[in-house]
Amino acid sequence: MEIIDIKNLKKSYSGVTVLDIPNLEFKAGQSLGLVGNNGAGKTTLFRLILDLIQADSGSVLSKGEDVAKSEAWKHYTGSFIDEGFLIDYLTPDEYFQFIASLHGLTAGDLDKVLSKYEDFFAGEIRGKKKYIRDLSKGNQKKVGVVGALLGKPDILILDEPFANLDPSTQFRLRDELDKLNKETDMTLLISSHDLAHVAEFCERIVILDHGQIVKDIHTNEQTLKELEEFFIQKIRGGSPADTATEEVSD
Amino acid sequence: MYLTLFRHRWQKTLRSTFFRQGWGVKILLFLVAVYFLASFGFLGYFMKEILQDAFKDAEKLTPIFSSGLLFYLLADLVMRFFLQDLNVITVQHYLTQPISKKKVVHFLLQSSVFNFFNLLPLLFIVPWAIRVIPEEYGLTHQIVWPISMLAVVFINHYLAIYLKRVLAIKAKIFWAITALLGALYAAHYFELIDLTALSKAVYLPLAQNHILGLWPIGLMILVYLVNYRFLLEMTHLDRWSTKAKEASAFRFSFLEERGPLGLMMANELKLITRNRRTKTALYMSGFFALYGLIFYGNETYADNYTWLMFVGIFMTGIFMINYGQFLVSWESAYFDGILTRAYSMEEFYRAKYYLMILSCVVMYLLTLPYIYFGVHAFYINTATFLYNIGINTAVLLFASTYNKKPVDLSKGSAFNYQGTGAAQFVIVIPLMVVPLLAFQGFKIFDLEYYGLAFLALLGVVGLATHKIFIRETIKNFKEKKYINAAGYRERD
């Protein structure tokens, strides 16, 4: 079953098309990795799925409902795009408590969920008298990612979750996402610049380039190689289609 | 190289967010600046006539001018201390470049003189030098005196910078100086010493004697060098990093336990008490509770109900207005989070609504003692209070959906126009002008008390129907959210 269905989605800024997706469907329970260079349209796509920006045309259907019209998706979608999702003058504990209350979790429920992430936090997040704004970028990201998971969402959307994390935490997060993928029905949408990470646990990988889907791969042993090939090809100016279009920034 | 640094400084000013405001705001701020410059310029130019008038039998005016100078300089020092800042971090991008540290520090110190506090004294010094000094002390003094005076101003400039830095590191020295100034003023007040005489003894010679006129220049260079050596030692960034403050233990837990609405109110209160700009707004509100003293105690205004109404709206609503005109803008940093979470918009706006009412109640209680000036003060404050919580809350809530400029919570609020758009000016019309006009309508027929009752009634009706305007606000919020979100994302 398709949990998210994207149809004829187009977005342009001052005449430059930054995203143009005729058709894209995500299967429920599937993990999807989104890769592409800066300006490829990854964040734009996520923002459209989260109804943060308005599409020029087309629509995103989440469980059959247009995200721009119904707000039902907010209850089953967890997301972390950037620090713009964090209330930075709260302590992490206060922030988690607030998110939990939005999803109707009791203090006991919250504690149970958070205790699962003790290792991930490495003792630097909970019970500390520090505001989120005073945490390092990496620790802020941990707060944001766990915050997105609190409501036990059906869909999890993370933009560059591995950036700014130390190597150990990157592997820990990758294992956690892998576990979520295998043990739950959660649909994962993860964008990353780290090809190895996404190739490791994503069942499907989509490459965006200049706002268009150029590859849609079901992951196998060859995938990492294929991905690397694609991006090396780009800098060597392999395909004429790539050099013709101009770089756009998002 | 040195000139390049100054050019960067100039570009930084020109390209700052201040100049990226819309034209309407720019023109208004320009007019405000012109107004202040003109009024101070006027005061400076006619200082001669003003002093002549006040001291009719004085032979010369410069001694009188000099007697008051010390008071100005002390006040100036305090102002500078609070509003002026100098920090190596602002030039840290030069520290790793092949520019000597000495040069960077000199640049930092020299570029700092271009500020408002150094412009203001010029408006007094220059006219005085042209209009008074030549006739009292001769033409050559016309050149030397203003230069010495400028040095006096710069002594203050560099002294304030140094004191502020010393405070950050050696609190004891700061308190010692504060105690000294306090003791000095107390001694003057109890006539143990005469500060005017002291001021005259120190500053009058600048106009009388060329050689003595040099001491401010010497002292200025000395203060500059002290600053320079101090800053040169401080060019390592870790010397500046202040420890992150411990999170406040005050969590408003009594609200936190009351479900999402309580949590949202608690968040709003944390927003106010944990961020610099909102905190300044909070302190200023306490200060404005005293605003009425000027008017209620004054005979001229005692019967001017229209003016007192304005004072009433202002006093009971000051925090609400200060805070309310940037509603949601305060939350610009995490607006994307608000849009994607399962927030109940109803509770989101109700939290703000109750909080504004709460602030009005507090301000109303603070202004109750004005009843001392007559029972009319009580009536006026009550009517304006009801109007504030009934109508003005609604106006501010609805207007908040037109805010789309981000606000940086970590900056102070004095002289801070970030987030100010046309909406902030237009909003004054329904907030202040409409109630005053409505009241004026009754006043023409000498029905002041009916006018007050009418405003109070409007307030009560507004309170009773608040659900309707919260609903309308939410509707408008949803229509405008893409535009607002895009605006809020334009952070620097």
Side-chain angles (χ1 to χ4, degrees), chain A residues 51 74 89 94 97 133, chain B residues 251 275 334 339 481-482:
Chain A
D51 191 35
K74 288 185 181 176
Y89 52 82
E94 289 170 344
Q97 185 191 1
R133 65 174 176 228
Chain B
R251 296 184 51 171
N275 291 295
Y334 52 92
L339 290 183
K481 68 175 179 182
Y482 300 112

Side-chain angles (χ1 to χ4, degrees), chain B residues 18 26 73 86 99-100 107 191 291 299 353 409 422 424:
Chain B
F18 181 83
K26 256 191 231 172
L73 290 172
L86 193 75
I99 309 170
S100 78
F107 161 72
E191 291 176 357
Y291 193 55
E299 292 279 312
Y353 176 68
L409 288 164
Q424 271 69 36

Side-chain angles (χ1 to χ4, degrees), chain A residues 46-67:
Chain A
F46 281 170
R47 282 188 175 150
L48 282 165
I49 295 175
L50 293 168
D51 191 35
L52 286 172
I53 52 180
Q54 206 167 13
D56 296 339
S57 66
S59 58
V60 177
L61 303 182
S62 182
K63 293 193 179 177
E65 288 184 277
D66 190 338
V67 292

Side-chain angles (χ1 to χ4, degrees), chain B residues 354-416:
Chain B
Y354 293 144
L355 202 80
M356 286 200 286
I357 290 184
L358 182 75
S359 83
C360 286
V361 171
V362 171
M363 291 306 287
Y364 177 64
L365 293 177
L366 283 178
T367 53
L368 273 184
Y370 282 109
I371 201 166
Y372 170 81
F373 294 107
V375 75
H376 70 292
F378 172 73
Y379 291 139
I380 290 172
N381 280 352
T382 307
T384 50
F385 162 71
L386 286 172
Y387 187 82
N388 267 334
I389 63 171
I391 304 296
N392 281 347
T393 46
V395 172
L396 286 167
L397 276 184
F398 194 76
S400 76
T401 55
Y402 292 92
N403 287 345
K404 51 175 181 267
K405 300 205 172 181
V407 166
D408 183 351
L409 288 164
S410 60
K411 303 261 164 66
S413 75
F415 298 120
N416 191 343

